[in-house]
Amino acid sequence: MHSKWQRHLPSPEATYFDKITAPYLGRITVHAAQLVDLASILAFHGPALLFRRELVSEEAMQSFWISSRARFDEWHRRLGNYKHLEETHSQSGMEQWWQANEPLMDEILLSEPLTRIYAAIGAELDNNRETNEISPITQSVYLTHTEARNRVLQIILTSRVIPLQSAVRINSLRTITERWCDALLGHLRTETSSQVETYGYDGARIRAFAEDASQIPRGTARATAGWLLSAAMRDSLLRRSEARSACPLENRAVGDAVLVCLRPDLFDSVGLLKSLWLHRLERGSEQTDRVLDQLACNDLSSGDILGGYEAIRDTSFGRW
C-alpha cells in the first residue's frame, strides 16, 4: 500500500465484518477512495442482499438519503463559489479556489461507483418485489451525483487556472474510475438483470466483464478473483488521487449509511458474509419447516400456505 495511505489494518483474527467496517467505524473521517472499497463489497455481495431484500430497512434508506443530501449541499456550495468567481472574472480568486478544492474534483469522481452500484441494487430490489420504495431514493441520489460530476468535467474543460498536469491527472482518474465501475457492475450483472447496465458508462464493457466473471467457478475461486480485483482497483485509484479529502465527515456519514444495509442476518456465526447459495439453502429449509408445521395442524385452512397446497395437491400429492 502506498505510504501516504498507511492506516491501521485489522488483525488476521478479525471477522470479515470487522475488516470491511474498520475503515469507517474506527475513524472520524473517511476518504472517498475508501468508498470505492465499499462499492466493491456491494457489487460482490449484492446478489445476497437482493435475495434477502426484506433486510433493507426504511431507516437505512432514510439515513442514506440524509447523509447524501448533506454531502451534495457541501459540494454544490463549493462549486457555486467557483461559478461566482468565474462570473466576476476573479483570476486570483479562481486560482485560490483551485488550490483549496482540487481534492473536491477527486472526491466527486471517486465516490460515484458507490452511488451507481447502490442505485443498481435499489432498482433490482424494487423490481423483484414489484414495489417503488427504495429505487426513488437511490435514483435521486444517482441523478444528483451525475449533475455534480458534469459540473466537475465542465470546470476541467473550460477553466484556465487549472495546471495542465492536474487536468491530465484528473482525467486519468475519471477514465480509470469509469472502467472499474463497469467492472463492478459486470460482476453484479452475473446474478441480476440487464437493468444494471443503465447505471454504468459502457454497456458493452459491462457485458464483457459479466461474461468473464460468469466463467469463474463459484466459491473460493470467485471470491479470490473478487479480492484481487478490489486490490488492483484500490491501488490504481490511490496512485491517481489526492491524499487530501474534501468532505471527510460527509463521506463517513454516507459510508455508515450504506453499511446499515448489511444487516447481521447477512453474516454467519464467525462473521463471514454468507454466500448466495447459503441464503437460498437457508430460505429453502425455513420454508420446508413452515410447510411441514402447517400441514401437521388439525385445521389446514388456518395456515397461510393453503393456496400453494391446493395448487400442488392434485398433481404432486396425487402421485403418492
Side-chain angles (χ1 to χ4, degrees):
M1 185 178 297
H2 199 283
S3 59
K4 69 178 181 179
W5 294 99
Q6 288 291 339
R7 64 175 183 265
H8 175 71
L9 296 176
S11 64
E13 293 77 15
T15 66
Y16 184 73
F17 184 74
D18 294 331
K19 292 177 182 178
I20 65 175
T21 58
Y24 307 96
L25 301 183
R27 300 169 63 94
I28 298 177
T29 61
V30 169
H31 192 278
Q34 294 172 291
L35 298 181
V36 184
D37 286 337
L38 188 54
S40 67
I41 293 171
L42 286 184
F44 295 132
H45 298 282
L49 186 63
L50 293 171
F51 188 75
R52 299 300 299 271
R53 51 189 177 273
E54 70 277 2
L55 299 178
V56 181
S57 65
E58 180 180 348
E59 292 77 10
M61 300 312 303
Q62 182 180 11
S63 177
F64 178 66
W65 168 256
I66 293 174
S67 59
S68 296
R69 291 305 307 178
R71 189 174 62 171
F72 288 148
D73 289 343
E74 180 63 19
W75 286 354
H76 290 303
R77 182 186 68 80
R78 298 191 189 189
L79 294 173
N81 289 340
Y82 178 83
K83 184 175 181 60
H84 174 72
L85 294 171
E86 189 178 39
E87 291 174 346
T88 57
H89 305 286
S90 176
Q91 184 76 10
S92 60
M94 287 189 291
E95 291 176 353
Q96 293 176 1
W97 183 94
W98 175 256
Q99 293 175 1
N101 290 280
E102 183 175 356
L104 180 65
M105 309 292 104
D106 289 8
E107 180 169 287
I108 294 175
L109 297 177
L110 282 171
S111 56
E112 196 172 15
L114 177 61
T115 299
R116 288 175 176 265
I117 290 172
Y118 206 21
I121 292 177
E124 285 290 313
L125 284 168
D126 279 356
N127 183 56
N128 292 343
R129 294 192 300 178
E130 297 183 351
T131 61
N132 199 31
E133 299 175 357
I134 297 176
S135 59
I137 296 176
T138 57
Q139 181 74 7
S140 176
V141 172
Y142 161 66
L143 293 176
T144 307
H145 200 142
T146 301
E147 178 188 354
R149 175 180 183 271
N150 292 337
R151 295 181 68 178
V152 168
L153 299 182
Q154 183 69 20
I155 291 175
I156 296 174
L157 287 173
T158 62
S159 178
R160 297 181 179 179
V161 302
I162 301 177
L164 178 60
Q165 183 179 3
S166 296
V168 171
R169 181 192 64 80
I170 294 176
N171 187 58
S172 175
L173 179 65
R174 175 190 64 82
T175 56
I176 197 68
T177 301
E178 291 177 358
R179 182 173 180 82
W180 283 121
C181 183
D182 285 347
L184 295 177
L185 287 170
H187 277 262
L188 184 62
R189 172 71 175 82
T190 59
E191 300 288 350
T192 57
S193 69
S194 60
Q195 180 178 225
V196 302
E197 296 178 15
T198 61
Y199 296 96
Y201 300 94
D202 188 333
R205 187 164 59 188
I206 293 175
R207 291 189 293 273
F209 278 120
E211 183 178 356
D212 291 342
S214 63
Q215 295 176 0
I216 302 175
R218 299 178 185 275
T220 304
R222 185 168 294 191
T224 302
W227 280 111
L228 291 175
L229 186 145
S230 297
M233 177 180 63
R234 184 185 306 112
D235 178 69
S236 63
L237 293 177
L238 292 181
R239 285 189 285 106
R240 291 172 173 82
S241 59
E242 280 276 325
R244 293 179 295 163
S245 181
C247 303
L249 295 178
E250 289 79 1
N251 291 333
R252 162 66 188 264
V254 172
D256 287 346
V258 174
L259 283 171
V260 173
C261 76
L262 300 176
R263 297 280 296 275
D265 310 65
L266 294 173
F267 297 81
D268 61 20
S269 59
V270 296
L272 298 176
L273 275 169
K274 300 175 184 176
S275 65
L276 178 60
W277 174 83
L278 183 56
H279 281 295
R280 287 171 173 167
L281 183 63
E282 290 180 340
R283 178 60 59 86
S285 63
E286 292 172 0
Q287 293 176 343
T288 300
D289 290 341
R290 187 162 62 89
V291 169
L292 293 176
D293 289 341
Q294 295 192 14
L295 287 176
C297 294
N298 294 330
D299 184 9
L300 184 61
S301 62
S302 64
D304 57 4
I305 62 168
L306 179 60
Y309 169 72
E310 293 291 346
I312 65 174
R313 180 178 58 181
D314 294 336
T315 57
S316 299
F317 286 1
R319 293 197 299 266
W320 293 4

